[in-house]
Amino acid sequence: MPARPTAFVLGNFVQACCWSVPRLPLPGETLVATGVHIEPGGKGLNVAVCLQRLGALVSTLIGCGSDAAGEQLLALLQREGVDTAHVHRLAGASGWGSGWIGADGQNAIAVFPGANLLLTSEHVALAHNAISTAQLVYGQFETSLPAVEAAFAYAHAHGIVTVLNPSPWQTPPQDLRANTHSLIVNEVEAQGLLALSAPLAGLATDCAQSVAPALELFWAQWPAAQRLVVTLGAMGCLAFERSAAQSCWHAAAPAVHAVDSVGAGDAFASGYCAALLAGCGLAEALHWGNACGAHLASQAGVLGALPDTQTLQKILKLHGFPKPVVLWLASR
């Protein structure tokens, strides 16, 4: 039996509280919720757990508080089999998050980072062995930015693939740009990343045409980046590669009934990274990402709905393998 692939995740933890509402509230408006759901969450936690379920051996760096929520996090990771050697109990409260989920599956989220932002480059240094033995390092922006910078610098120096989801969006520092190999962003994050005038909207071809003029500057500003993936929700995703600068690929998502889109982007990233760890090419990586994202959007909640290997295989079998379509961008 081949050895399981290894991944290191720059994680984060928030105790997530989500309310189901008929629609997202307007500013100053109070709505009566139809349900409430409380569970451990966080972009990095979701990816760490999902990658472990999808067959990888995962180590994660997380800062949590010395509180009951931190105890729950450790118990969860141990049940899932995720290595907790670099989960640090820090002063103050653990992270907390709140979400509003509309009947149409749309959501709005607010997060208090808490102990997640207390991680430093020194904590990363303690994890150098785990990083150096990983095949992929994943980062996101709900945790300490200095920790992500330090981990990506160390991984890049050792030839380890780095994948970044710069969410919630903030302008990344130059050192991080120099050490990131792949980026995954949604329609809103693409606006900040590519300095677009508005979030991406319309059909996939419209989104591709909006991105095209910004690509030359993007590749220049991210010298180590080889691939940019833009998720488009129910429309699937677009992918751009430095080696094929005049085209992009559109991969359609499986058609599902959207129940709750919270965490769908994390599920996409997990499927995409799992495919890379399995040695798959771009087409399969986009397909695995779309399948995991669509599955999560069709379920209530996040952590319990994150797919495992058997679930992913069922999804892939059910929906087949629609190969990505090459979109030639006349504006390039």
Side-chain angles (χ1 to χ4, degrees):
M1 178 179 294
R4 291 173 64 181
T6 54
F8 187 87
V9 174
L10 278 298
N12 71 298
F13 164 64
V14 295
Q15 191 73 322
C17 306
C18 294
W19 288 265
S20 299
V21 290
R23 56 175 173 75
L24 299 187
L26 300 173
E29 182 182 23
T30 299
L31 294 178
V32 175
T34 58
V36 63
H37 181 77
I38 300 174
E39 68 175 356
K43 298 183 69 64
L45 175 63
N46 293 339
V47 172
V49 169
C50 194
L51 271 177
Q52 183 79 21
R53 291 181 184 176
L54 291 174
L57 288 174
V58 177
S59 294
T60 185
L61 175 66
I62 296 180
C64 63
S66 298
D67 51 18
E71 294 289 345
Q72 293 173 359
L73 169 67
L74 285 169
L76 164 68
L77 292 174
Q78 289 164 359
R79 288 196 304 271
E80 295 288 343
V82 176
D83 182 10
T84 61
H86 303 290
V87 176
H88 296 276
R89 309 295 298 275
L90 304 172
S94 294
W96 286 82
S98 64
W100 297 265
I101 305 161
D104 60 357
Q106 295 300 306
N107 68 82
I109 300 171
V111 175
F112 166 68
N116 293 292
L117 298 187
L118 300 180
L119 292 173
T120 68
S121 58
E122 285 74 21
H123 294 112
V124 173
L126 295 174
H128 276 181
N129 184 62
I131 297 173
S132 64
T133 55
Q135 295 163 253
L136 180 147
V137 173
Y138 176 86
Q140 42 72 46
F141 283 177
E142 283 185 0
T143 191
S144 158
L145 189 56
V148 178
E149 284 187 85
F152 271 45
Y154 187 78
H156 178 68
H158 287 75
I160 299 163
V161 173
T162 58
V163 179
L164 177 67
N165 173 215
S167 176
W169 171 256
Q170 59 178 297
T171 301
Q174 182 57 43
D175 285 350
L176 186 57
R177 295 178 187 226
N179 296 312
T180 298
H181 304 149
S182 292
L183 292 99
I184 302 173
V185 294
N186 65 15
E187 304 98 311
V188 176
E189 294 148 9
Q191 179 184 7
L193 177 71
L194 301 172
L196 304 178
S197 60
L200 296 178
L203 300 175
T205 50
D206 300 323
C207 295
Q209 293 290 353
S210 296
V211 169
L215 285 174
E216 185 174 356
L217 181 59
F218 167 75
W219 297 125
Q221 291 180 335
W222 293 78
Q226 300 301 312
R227 185 179 293 170
L228 168 64
V229 177
V230 181
T231 59
L232 302 175
M235 289 190 299
C237 63
L238 301 173
F240 305 84
E241 291 193 305
R242 185 185 292 270
S243 60
Q246 295 188 25
S247 65
C248 83
W249 289 261
H250 171 235
V256 297
H257 172 65
V259 173
D260 178 0
S261 60
V262 174
D266 302 333
F268 176 96
S270 301
Y272 174 85
C273 290
L276 296 185
L277 289 168
C280 299
L282 173 62
E284 284 184 291
L286 299 179
H287 186 43
W288 284 29
N290 280 335
C292 289
H295 171 75
L296 199 75
S298 70
Q299 311 293 310
V302 178
L303 202 63
L306 291 170
D308 57 14
T309 301
Q310 289 184 334
T311 301
L312 175 59
Q313 291 306 315
K314 289 179 182 178
I315 300 167
L316 297 178
K317 183 176 181 180
L318 176 64
H319 294 284
F321 182 19
K323 293 186 178 180
V325 175
V326 178
L327 303 177
W328 295 99
L329 304 176
S331 61
R332 286 281 294 150

